[in-house]
Amino acid sequence: MGAEHTSVPRWGSEWPAPDPSARTVLLVGFGARGCAISTAWAADVPAGRPVEVLAADDADESVLAVLTARIAGARVGWRLMLAGPEDDVLAARAVALRAGVLDAEIRCAVTGTERKRVYCPHCRSTTATTAPVAGETPCDGCGRRLHVYAHVSRRAGAYLGFMADAEEVA
């Protein structure tokens, strides 16, 4: 699959600035670098606008629950900014999109793409890995050897995996 036919996000090397039209902003930083970016963003939010900064080691269930609660209380003009490793940013972004937040209301800064979340369509589990796109990783759910495909699901916030040796199985 060529790069022009992939859903893998192309993260920019420059961090986006806060939306100047935002009425209120939630900044979420994952890991040390993501937290540093979110702190810098807070200084760039126009004066007088409510801003909340959340810092987390990673996008675990408790952090995603807090994000879900903040989204439930969001009003017109609310914006979300996420910074950190790709796997954490994609997980948080997926929660936001499933909750009805629009792409235009989310800005992301990815600090690294080494870690990935890979969705297994065979058992519907998600595996954390450092395997590259086109590499392989064992599924944490069913143990199948998964090929990490160049497709990212917006809904799942994960790369698609498929059984690497499907043609060899009788």
Side-chain angles (χ1 to χ4, degrees):
M1 172 177 272
E4 67 279 0
H5 295 102
T6 182
S7 61
V8 175
R10 289 174 178 84
W11 307 111
S13 58
E14 308 250 339
W15 310 140
D19 182 348
S21 68
R23 294 180 65 193
T24 183
V25 183
L26 174 61
L27 309 171
V28 184
F30 299 105
R33 289 183 62 207
C35 291
I37 293 167
S38 63
T39 300
W41 279 338
D44 292 338
V45 172
R49 309 279 167 81
V51 61
E52 180 180 8
V53 180
L54 296 178
D57 291 330
D58 55 36
D60 62 20
E61 288 183 29
S62 63
V63 171
L64 297 178
V66 170
L67 177 58
T68 300
R70 296 304 190 278
I71 293 168
R75 299 294 175 255
V76 173
W78 183 87
R79 299 293 185 265
L80 174 63
M81 297 185 74
L82 304 166
E86 181 182 55
D87 61 333
D88 295 320
V89 168
L90 286 175
R93 186 172 174 269
V95 165
L97 292 171
R98 286 193 307 265
V101 179
L102 303 175
D103 274 326
E105 297 170 322
I106 305 170
R107 294 189 179 181
C108 303
V110 169
T111 59
T113 59
E114 298 80 27
R115 298 184 332 215
K116 292 174 181 36
R117 294 169 14 102
V118 179
Y119 175 78
C120 176
H122 308 286
C123 70
R124 297 186 174 142
S125 67
T126 302
T127 299
T129 185
T130 56
V133 171
E136 295 180 3
T137 190
C139 175
D140 288 344
C142 64
R144 287 180 171 94
R145 199 171 79 234
L146 298 176
H147 174 85
V148 181
Y149 192 60
H151 171 77
V152 173
S153 167
R154 292 165 31 94
R155 185 188 58 76
Y159 286 78
L160 176 64
F162 63 83
M163 198 163 99
D165 56 356
E167 290 81 20
E168 299 168 17
V169 177

